[in-house]
Amino acid sequence: MFKSFTLATLLLSSFSFSTLADTFTLKSKDITAGGFMTKAQEFNGFGCDGSDLSPQLTWSGVPEGTKSFAITVYDPDAPTGSGWWHWQIINIPHTVTEIATGAGNATKGLAPKGSMQIANDFGYRGFGGACPPKGHGIHHYRFTVHALSVEKLELPEGASGALTGYMINANTIATSTIESLYKRD
Protein backbone atom coordinates (compact mmCIF):
# COMPACT_ATOMS: atom_id res chain seq x y z
CA MET A 1 0.00 0.00 0.00
CA PHE A 2 2.85 2.41 0.83
CA LYS A 3 4.40 1.87 -2.61
CA SER A 4 1.15 2.68 -4.43
CA PHE A 5 0.59 5.77 -2.23
CA THR A 6 4.16 6.96 -2.93
CA LEU A 7 3.78 6.36 -6.67
CA ALA A 8 0.45 8.23 -6.75
CA THR A 9 1.96 11.12 -4.77
CA LEU A 10 4.90 11.36 -7.16
CA LEU A 11 2.63 11.30 -10.20
CA LEU A 12 0.32 13.94 -8.79
CA SER A 13 3.16 16.22 -7.67
CA SER A 14 4.63 16.20 -11.18
CA PHE A 15 1.27 17.01 -12.78
CA SER A 16 0.22 20.64 -13.02
CA PHE A 17 -3.38 21.18 -11.99
CA SER A 18 -3.30 24.57 -13.71
CA THR A 19 -3.13 22.62 -16.97
CA LEU A 20 -6.65 21.35 -16.30
CA ALA A 21 -7.94 24.72 -15.15
CA ASP A 22 -6.65 26.61 -18.19
CA THR A 23 -8.44 24.77 -20.97
CA PHE A 24 -9.02 27.12 -23.91
CA THR A 25 -12.81 27.16 -24.25
CA LEU A 26 -15.21 28.86 -26.68
CA LYS A 27 -18.85 29.51 -25.73
CA SER A 28 -21.81 31.36 -27.22
CA LYS A 29 -25.21 32.66 -26.17
CA ASP A 30 -26.43 32.36 -29.78
CA ILE A 31 -25.20 28.98 -31.06
CA THR A 32 -24.51 25.55 -29.55
CA ALA A 33 -22.19 22.69 -30.38
CA GLY A 34 -24.13 20.13 -32.39
CA GLY A 35 -27.24 22.31 -32.42
CA PHE A 36 -28.97 23.96 -35.35
CA MET A 37 -28.50 27.69 -35.88
CA THR A 38 -31.55 29.91 -36.23
CA LYS A 39 -32.61 32.28 -39.02
CA ALA A 40 -30.58 34.93 -37.14
CA GLN A 41 -27.39 33.28 -38.46
CA GLU A 42 -28.79 32.61 -41.97
CA PHE A 43 -27.42 34.68 -44.85
CA ASN A 44 -29.60 37.32 -46.48
CA GLY A 45 -29.15 36.78 -50.22
CA PHE A 46 -28.55 33.92 -52.68
CA GLY A 47 -32.13 32.75 -52.02
CA CYS A 48 -31.74 32.91 -48.23
CA ASP A 49 -33.63 35.46 -46.14
CA GLY A 50 -32.07 35.34 -42.68
CA SER A 51 -30.82 38.15 -40.45
CA ASP A 52 -27.14 37.45 -41.27
CA LEU A 53 -25.97 38.05 -37.69
CA SER A 54 -22.65 36.71 -36.49
CA PRO A 55 -23.16 35.06 -33.11
CA GLN A 56 -21.93 36.29 -29.75
CA LEU A 57 -18.73 34.45 -28.86
CA THR A 58 -16.72 34.40 -25.63
CA TRP A 59 -13.57 32.47 -24.75
CA SER A 60 -11.61 31.67 -21.61
CA GLY A 61 -8.51 29.75 -20.54
CA VAL A 62 -6.32 31.80 -22.86
CA PRO A 63 -2.96 30.04 -23.33
CA GLU A 64 0.25 31.64 -22.16
CA GLY A 65 2.04 33.51 -24.93
CA THR A 66 -1.13 34.62 -26.72
CA LYS A 67 -0.56 37.98 -28.42
CA SER A 68 -3.77 38.23 -30.48
CA PHE A 69 -6.78 36.23 -31.65
CA ALA A 70 -8.45 35.35 -34.92
CA ILE A 71 -11.92 33.95 -35.49
CA THR A 72 -12.85 31.81 -38.46
CA VAL A 73 -16.16 30.34 -39.60
CA TYR A 74 -15.87 27.61 -42.18
CA ASP A 75 -18.34 25.21 -43.86
CA PRO A 76 -16.49 22.11 -45.10
CA ASP A 77 -19.73 20.75 -46.65
CA ALA A 78 -20.19 23.50 -49.24
CA PRO A 79 -20.25 21.92 -52.71
CA THR A 80 -17.24 23.86 -53.98
CA GLY A 81 -14.42 21.37 -53.66
CA SER A 82 -12.79 23.67 -51.09
CA GLY A 83 -15.51 24.47 -48.55
CA TRP A 84 -16.74 27.98 -47.81
CA TRP A 85 -15.27 30.77 -45.67
CA HIS A 86 -18.13 32.57 -43.92
CA TRP A 87 -15.99 34.78 -41.70
CA GLN A 88 -12.37 35.52 -40.91
CA ILE A 89 -11.52 38.28 -38.47
CA ILE A 90 -7.89 38.76 -37.47
CA ASN A 91 -5.74 40.99 -35.27
CA ILE A 92 -8.14 40.88 -32.34
CA PRO A 93 -6.18 42.27 -29.36
CA HIS A 94 -5.10 39.75 -26.72
CA THR A 95 -7.14 41.65 -24.10
CA VAL A 96 -10.43 40.88 -25.89
CA THR A 97 -12.28 37.70 -24.87
CA GLU A 98 -15.74 38.38 -26.30
CA ILE A 99 -17.31 39.33 -29.61
CA ALA A 100 -20.83 40.79 -29.56
CA THR A 101 -23.72 39.47 -31.64
CA GLY A 102 -23.55 41.24 -35.01
CA ALA A 103 -19.84 42.15 -34.76
CA GLY A 104 -19.38 40.54 -38.18
CA ASN A 105 -21.29 43.39 -39.83
CA ALA A 106 -18.40 45.64 -40.84
CA THR A 107 -20.65 48.71 -41.12
CA LYS A 108 -21.86 48.59 -37.49
CA GLY A 109 -18.47 49.13 -35.82
CA LEU A 110 -18.96 46.32 -33.28
CA ALA A 111 -15.75 44.44 -34.09
CA PRO A 112 -12.85 44.98 -31.68
CA LYS A 113 -10.73 48.05 -32.30
CA GLY A 114 -7.65 47.16 -34.35
CA SER A 115 -9.15 43.97 -35.80
CA MET A 116 -9.55 43.37 -39.53
CA GLN A 117 -12.29 41.46 -41.33
CA ILE A 118 -11.27 39.51 -44.43
CA ALA A 119 -13.47 39.13 -47.51
CA ASN A 120 -15.63 36.02 -47.14
CA ASP A 121 -16.57 33.69 -49.99
CA PHE A 122 -19.69 35.78 -50.65
CA GLY A 123 -17.23 38.49 -51.73
CA TYR A 124 -17.35 41.12 -48.95
CA ARG A 125 -15.58 41.80 -45.66
CA GLY A 126 -17.43 40.50 -42.63
CA PHE A 127 -19.69 37.65 -41.59
CA GLY A 128 -21.83 35.89 -44.19
CA GLY A 129 -24.36 33.54 -42.63
CA ALA A 130 -25.33 29.99 -43.45
CA CYS A 131 -26.98 29.43 -46.83
CA PRO A 132 -26.52 25.82 -47.94
CA PRO A 133 -28.26 24.79 -51.16
CA LYS A 134 -31.84 23.61 -50.64
CA GLY A 135 -32.02 19.85 -50.23
CA HIS A 136 -28.23 19.52 -49.77
CA GLY A 137 -28.61 18.17 -46.25
CA ILE A 138 -26.98 19.23 -43.02
CA HIS A 139 -23.95 21.50 -43.20
CA HIS A 140 -21.42 21.82 -40.37
CA TYR A 141 -20.29 25.35 -39.48
CA ARG A 142 -17.02 25.49 -37.53
CA PHE A 143 -16.76 28.64 -35.41
CA THR A 144 -13.14 28.66 -34.22
CA VAL A 145 -11.19 31.09 -32.07
CA HIS A 146 -7.42 30.91 -32.59
CA ALA A 147 -4.93 32.09 -29.97
CA LEU A 148 -2.02 33.51 -31.97
CA SER A 149 1.67 33.94 -31.15
CA VAL A 150 1.90 37.28 -33.01
CA GLU A 151 0.27 40.65 -32.32
CA LYS A 152 -0.62 41.27 -35.94
CA LEU A 153 -0.92 39.16 -39.07
CA GLU A 154 0.51 41.10 -42.00
CA LEU A 155 -1.61 40.31 -45.05
CA PRO A 156 -1.81 42.01 -48.44
CA GLU A 157 -4.92 43.97 -49.33
CA GLY A 158 -7.48 41.56 -50.79
CA ALA A 159 -5.88 38.47 -49.19
CA SER A 160 -7.79 35.29 -49.99
CA GLY A 161 -9.44 33.08 -47.41
CA ALA A 162 -6.84 30.40 -48.11
CA LEU A 163 -3.89 32.77 -47.53
CA THR A 164 -5.51 34.11 -44.38
CA GLY A 165 -6.14 30.57 -43.15
CA TYR A 166 -2.52 29.67 -43.84
CA MET A 167 -1.20 32.64 -41.87
CA ILE A 168 -3.59 31.98 -38.98
CA ASN A 169 -2.61 28.30 -38.80
CA ALA A 170 1.11 29.12 -39.04
CA ASN A 171 0.84 31.30 -35.92
CA THR A 172 -1.72 29.39 -33.84
CA ILE A 173 -0.89 28.36 -30.27
CA ALA A 174 -4.31 26.82 -29.53
CA THR A 175 -7.85 26.70 -30.88
CA SER A 176 -11.34 26.12 -29.57
CA THR A 177 -14.30 25.34 -31.83
CA ILE A 178 -18.09 25.26 -31.69
CA GLU A 179 -19.49 23.25 -34.60
CA SER A 180 -23.09 24.24 -35.29
CA LEU A 181 -25.43 22.91 -37.95
CA TYR A 182 -27.79 24.30 -40.58
CA LYS A 183 -29.85 22.96 -43.48
CA ARG A 184 -32.48 24.20 -45.90
CA ASP A 185 -35.16 21.84 -47.16
Side-chain angles (χ1 to χ4, degrees):
M1 176 154 166
F2 180 73
K3 286 182 183 177
S4 62
F5 175 76
T6 304
L7 179 60
T9 303
L10 286 171
L11 287 173
L12 287 174
S13 66
S14 66
F15 185 78
S16 169
F17 285 100
S18 66
T19 302
L20 290 175
D22 294 337
T23 302
F24 193 37
T25 305
L26 178 62
K27 296 180 181 177
S28 177
K29 296 175 186 173
D30 299 328
I31 60 172
T32 59
F36 281 87
M37 293 183 287
T38 68
K39 289 286 266 188
Q41 285 78 46
E42 183 180 280
F43 188 65
N44 192 310
F46 285 27
C48 292
D49 61 359
S51 299
D52 208 18
L53 287 175
S54 59
Q56 178 274 348
L57 299 170
T58 186
W59 50 95
S60 60
V62 175
E64 190 174 324
T66 300
K67 294 184 179 171
S68 69
F69 298 101
I71 296 171
T72 59
V73 181
Y74 179 72
D75 171 11
D77 304 313
T80 64
S82 61
W84 193 271
W85 289 107
H86 287 267
W87 194 24
Q88 292 176 311
I89 179 171
I90 62 170
N91 302 337
I92 300 168
H94 76 281
T95 55
V96 173
T97 57
E98 182 173 8
I99 299 285
T101 301
N105 182 326
T107 64
K108 291 195 176 192
L110 297 174
K113 191 173 187 162
S115 65
M116 182 170 102
Q117 302 200 53
I118 305 300
N120 58 41
D121 282 341
F122 290 109
Y124 64 89
R125 291 178 183 264
F127 176 80
C131 187
K134 281 188 176 183
H136 199 255
I138 297 171
H139 281 223
H140 301 78
Y141 295 84
R142 295 177 184 155
F143 292 79
T144 303
V145 62
H146 303 257
L148 303 179
S149 60
V150 294
E151 286 183 31
K152 186 175 182 181
L153 292 177
E154 298 291 342
L155 292 170
E157 187 65 32
S160 68
L163 176 59
T164 303
Y166 175 83
M167 293 300 290
I168 289 170
N169 289 326
N171 292 284
T172 293
I173 297 171
T175 64
S176 187
T177 299
I178 296 173
E179 185 175 84
S180 290
L181 311 173
Y182 204 74
K183 72 174 184 172
R184 293 173 57 223
D185 294 322

